[in-house]
Amino acid sequence: MSNLDKTPRRIVASDIAVLREKLGVTAVDMDWIRGTKKRTFRLTGTGDQLSQVIVSPVDSMIYRYLDRFSEDYPLPAMPDVRDLLARTKAAWPEQRIPWRQGYFSLIIGCQDLTVRTWVSGTCNVSLPVSRLMYLLDQCLKLTNSTTNGLELYLALVEREAISRGFGSLYALLDQGNWGSSENSEHNPERLKESIIDVVKELCGLSSIDALWLMGYHQAPTKKHNQNKVIADPTTALFYRVLHSYPNLDFVPVMPTIGDPMVPDSSSVIGALLSSGIDDALKRLSGEGIKTPKGINGRKFGLLLGCSFMMGYSWTHPSYRTENMSNTTLRLAYLLVNAIKKRGVQGFLDYYEVLQDEVLSRGRDMDEFWNMGWPEWRGVKSVETLAPASESTA
């Protein structure tokens, strides 16, 4: 049973800390799930800090949904080091360069001895390294009768090595580390931090997507550093691979809002229309659960943890704009994905989470569909909202 299952109470920071452990993910992953790296709460600290309520309905619903339906967690798992090492060895061009285990960590941008610490478990794989391992894994999967995925990857490693003063890939492997005696900072082939913005545009990434993709807590670049070379080999290799093969980008694609007049199952409105939402609402109503006659216009905003006005601005023909926040898009993604995977049942699963969130805020569903969400902006204490004893009534 999940930490919040069937418990319509307010979500606090400690619930998110438990969810993070349950999913086995990092703080960077959790920031992506919210669509922002700015937090008003902490995932570690004293009892008082961990009891801080999550005030935003959108934030709270994201965590509540993933706690109940963790199988819908949207981010891909990073590859297992030992498995990836074995598959890299199997694909290695043995006739050209006889294999050594240390080559594995070298082509990931680290020293040759580092692989031993990964395999033994004495050193954890950092987030940037795990992201590059993921791209290596995807390159290996490109192998077919006409393409050798590892050779594609090694060609990019060689380009990076040459830009740093090595004569060839073999020269790098022979030395055993990325330190070069030649001053290569002024080599025009060195990647500069401007490549980050190029890759963002190629892959259609938001800033929070780019931070998660590379495993950073903070932006690796600022506007005035665009001409600065990328010192870290792992980071440089990562952007070389994505620049050459942007289709390997592994950030989930967020849905558009959609148009009621042009149904598209990949959009939020299209997914709702394709799910048989009217039948789902009738089914819920038959079970005694208060529902609106339909979810459109103003009520569309309530469904996604926002206001009547936001729903109106998203769907009204005269005012329709693609202005969902990153956080709202994450919640919309979970809804669309649930419908794609489970049809009507996916919508019902989402509605169950919505209902628990509404009840936890001291408002029944009839009041909710008529009055909207209780005001939460500026509220910092759960005691000034609905007490848990009232919310479960």
Side-chain angles (χ1 to χ4, degrees):
M1 181 177 292
S2 70
N3 188 46
L4 297 165
D5 199 26
K6 304 298 183 184
T7 309
R9 62 171 177 81
R10 293 304 301 275
I11 290 183
V12 296
S14 61
D15 294 319
I16 302 171
V18 171
L19 175 60
R20 175 185 165 189
E21 184 176 350
K22 174 182 176 181
L23 295 173
V25 300
T26 68
V28 175
D29 296 328
M30 295 302 283
D31 287 343
W32 183 91
I33 288 296
R34 291 183 61 241
T36 176
K37 62 187 180 69
K38 296 179 180 179
R39 289 195 218 112
T40 58
F41 55 87
R42 296 179 59 178
L43 299 180
T44 58
T46 64
D48 288 342
Q49 290 167 328
L50 291 178
S51 65
Q52 185 175 356
V53 69
I54 308 305
V55 296
S56 163
V58 182
D59 284 354
S60 190
M61 284 181 65
I62 289 173
Y63 298 130
R64 192 182 295 276
Y65 182 91
L66 287 175
D67 182 74
R68 192 162 300 173
F69 303 103
S70 57
E71 66 275 14
D72 287 351
Y73 177 71
L75 299 177
M78 296 297 105
D80 177 76
V81 174
R82 294 179 183 83
D83 175 68
L84 183 60
L85 172 62
R87 288 186 290 113
T88 302
K89 179 182 178 182
W92 190 260
E94 184 72 27
Q95 293 182 341
R96 182 160 61 93
I97 306 175
W99 168 260
R100 284 175 46 196
Q101 188 182 61
Y103 293 166
F104 178 74
S105 47
L106 278 168
I107 66 173
I108 299 296
C110 302
Q111 296 187 23
D112 57 355
L113 297 179
T114 309
V115 65
R116 299 181 185 178
T117 65
W118 293 338
V119 172
S120 66
T122 57
C123 179
N124 292 329
V125 175
S126 69
L127 289 180
V129 167
S130 72
R131 302 305 201 251
L132 183 55
M133 285 183 178
Y134 186 93
L135 290 182
L136 170 58
D137 182 42
Q138 295 307 298
C139 284
L140 290 174
K141 292 176 181 178
L142 293 176
T143 300
N144 54 38
S145 58
T146 60
T147 302
N148 185 313
L150 181 58
E151 290 284 13
L152 297 178
Y153 181 87
L154 291 178
L156 296 175
V157 176
E158 184 163 50
R159 285 178 59 187
E160 183 60 28
I162 290 173
S163 78
R164 291 172 181 260
F166 293 96
S168 64
L169 172 64
Y170 182 77
L172 166 68
L173 300 177
D174 186 54
Q175 178 165 301
N177 62 71
W178 281 86
S180 173
S181 59
E182 180 179 332
N183 183 1
S184 61
E185 281 201 15
H186 301 295
N187 187 331
E189 297 301 313
R190 283 290 297 272
L191 284 189
K192 296 180 174 61
E193 291 194 349
S194 57
I195 191 67
I196 299 173
D197 287 337
V198 174
V199 169
K200 282 173 63 178
E201 185 173 350
L202 271 176
C203 299
L205 303 175
S206 67
S207 294
I208 190 68
D209 289 336
L211 292 181
W212 175 81
L213 194 66
M214 193 53 212
Y216 286 121
H217 282 281
Q218 296 181 341
T221 181
K222 295 184 182 297
K223 291 296 181 183
H224 61 270
N225 283 335
Q226 294 294 293
N227 291 321
K228 182 180 177 181
V229 297
I230 297 178
D232 176 45
T234 297
T235 303
L237 287 171
F238 180 88
Y239 285 111
R240 278 194 187 276
V241 175
L242 272 188
H243 184 256
S244 298
Y245 305 104
N247 59 312
L248 296 184
D249 156 37
F250 46 98
V251 174
V253 178
M254 294 297 102
T256 59
I257 297 171
D259 187 337
M261 305 305 295
V262 186
D264 174 7
S265 61
S266 64
S267 70
V268 185
I269 292 176
L272 288 171
L273 293 174
S274 68
S275 70
I277 188 172
D278 290 340
D279 292 338
L281 293 175
K282 289 178 182 177
R283 175 172 157 184
L284 289 168
S285 182
E287 296 174 359
I289 299 173
K290 181 63 179 179
T291 65
K293 292 182 179 179
I295 295 179
N296 48 48
R298 296 165 70 242
K299 291 182 172 61
F300 185 65
L302 301 187
L303 184 70
L304 293 175
C306 299
S307 65
F308 285 120
M309 185 58 68
M310 290 303 293
Y312 185 81
S313 70
W314 292 332
T315 59
H316 193 277
S318 301
Y319 300 101
R320 188 179 302 124
T321 56
E322 296 287 333
N323 63 343
M324 279 188 180
S325 69
N326 280 336
T327 307
T328 305
L329 279 173
R330 299 311 197 256
L331 183 59
Y333 175 91
L334 294 176
L335 171 59
V336 171
N337 190 52
I339 291 172
K340 284 182 178 179
K341 291 172 66 174
R342 300 187 292 278
V344 172
Q345 186 57 51
F347 174 76
L348 294 174
D349 292 341
Y350 181 91
Y351 197 91
E352 180 181 293
V353 172
L354 172 70
Q355 178 177 250
D356 278 0
E357 186 61 34
V358 172
L359 293 177
S360 77
R361 293 171 183 261
R363 188 160 284 185
D364 64 34
M365 295 306 287
D366 190 23
E367 293 173 322
F368 171 69
W369 289 117
N370 285 288
M371 300 169 58
W373 292 96
E375 180 56 41
W376 55 270
R377 290 173 180 81
V379 177
K380 296 182 179 179
S381 171
V382 69
E383 286 78 20
T384 63
L385 295 163
S389 59
E390 294 179 13
S391 68
T392 55

